[in-house]
Amino acid sequence: MKDHTRLGSIPDLFPESSPATEWLGPSACVLRGFALPYVGEVLAALAEIEAAAPFRQMQTPGGYSMSVAMTNCGELGWTSDRDGYRYAPMDVLTGLPWPALPEVFLRLSQAAAAEVGFAGFLPDACLINRYAPGSKLSLHQDKDEQDFGAPIVSVSLGIPAVFQFGGLKRSDKTQRVPVLHGDVVVWGGVDRLRYHGVLTVKAATHAVLGAHRINLTFRKAG
Ligand code: MD6
Ligand code: FE
């Protein structure tokens, strides 16, 4: 029988990309709400990671304390101290290896990467950033990884933030992208080394995460 419902007759205006997909560059895009179906499992896994590898404010090589608190999971963890930035298998705070990448983290990051054309993404590092109101992350490039062929998958949770997305030079013009609970940003390819940062987070409260924003960035670091 023919479908006479109004819904069935609405043409698909975006056959190649749903309206929830916003491209920021040829190989960079925001997947709105993509992480929402995973959030329950992600937060349960996060609680275990935090208990084993607590959030800490790392020092920059210049001797400042970062406003963002960080921890890691996976084979390698991103670390900053007076000696510089690097990936390391051990957490110097606990003297233990970083907690393993939970299966749900792998599932979520692989599904998001595949959505943007990076099938077979196999992250070995997940940097976990926690922002309180007033925290920010200055414009930087992610270039401590060995393999720029792999994308970065970035999952936003909790209170909103404004993601700053620039070009290949620090002085290039930046776009401002609001990122909300459940949004995922994937970038790679020609966009892999673009400068980016997070503007000072404004005071807000999220029903589940309170006055925090958590960002998970999945990388192939080694
Ligand atoms: C953040 N994210 O959103 C910081 N880097 O809290 C990053 O620095 C980042 O979101 C590379 C790719 C995606 C990102
Ligand atoms: Fe980054």
Side-chain angles (χ1 to χ4, degrees):
M1 196 180 159
K2 220 166 159 214
D3 182 7
H4 291 296
T5 62
R6 289 172 56 78
L7 269 174
S9 62
I10 295 175
D12 184 1
L13 297 175
F14 304 94
E16 297 300 313
S17 64
S18 94
T21 303
E22 295 167 23
W23 291 88
L24 304 174
S27 281
C29 103
V30 189
L31 304 171
R32 295 290 177 197
F34 188 88
L36 290 175
Y38 302 82
V39 163
E41 277 182 274
V42 165
L43 292 178
L46 192 59
E48 290 191 29
I49 292 165
E50 250 187 272
F55 281 106
R56 80 293 307 263
Q57 283 170 276
M58 296 181 184
Q59 299 286 117
T60 66
Y64 293 96
S65 174
M66 298 180 74
S67 63
V68 177
M70 298 180 172
T71 187
N72 290 277
C73 64
E75 282 165 54
L76 293 169
W78 188 86
T79 301
S80 176
D81 58 25
R82 291 304 298 256
D83 299 327
Y85 310 126
R86 80 197 77 83
Y87 281 97
M90 288 281 183
D91 177 356
V92 290
L93 190 66
T94 63
L96 298 168
W98 296 105
L101 203 76
E103 188 268 336
V104 62
F105 280 28
L106 200 58
R107 214 176 339 116
L108 165 58
S109 59
Q110 289 183 332
E115 193 78 8
V116 186
F118 295 99
F121 177 54
L122 195 59
D124 57 10
C126 175
L127 170 63
I128 306 170
N129 291 163
R130 187 183 67 193
Y131 298 73
S135 304
K136 68 173 173 98
L137 194 64
S138 308
L139 220 52
H140 66 278
Q141 286 174 300
D142 288 15
K143 57 177 185 190
D144 300 320
E145 299 75 23
Q146 300 287 328
D147 176 10
F148 297 145
I152 293 181
V153 174
S154 162
V155 177
S156 292
L157 299 169
I159 64 176
V162 178
F163 192 64
Q164 233 185 338
F165 194 56
L168 294 174
K169 294 194 306 261
R170 185 183 293 276
S171 57
D172 286 342
K173 181 167 87 41
T174 61
Q175 22 181 343
R176 292 177 172 199
V177 185
V179 280
L180 306 176
H181 183 71
D183 290 348
V184 179
V185 183
V186 178
W187 74 47
V190 295
D191 297 312
R192 178 63 179 72
L193 290 173
R194 285 173 69 171
Y195 275 88
H196 58 278
V198 177
L199 298 183
T200 304
V201 172
K202 291 193 178 149
T205 307
H206 183 267
V208 182
L209 284 160
H212 282 128
R213 170 175 185 260
I214 302 268
N215 178 259
L216 315 174
T217 48
F218 296 90
R219 301 116 188 275
K220 174 88 184 78

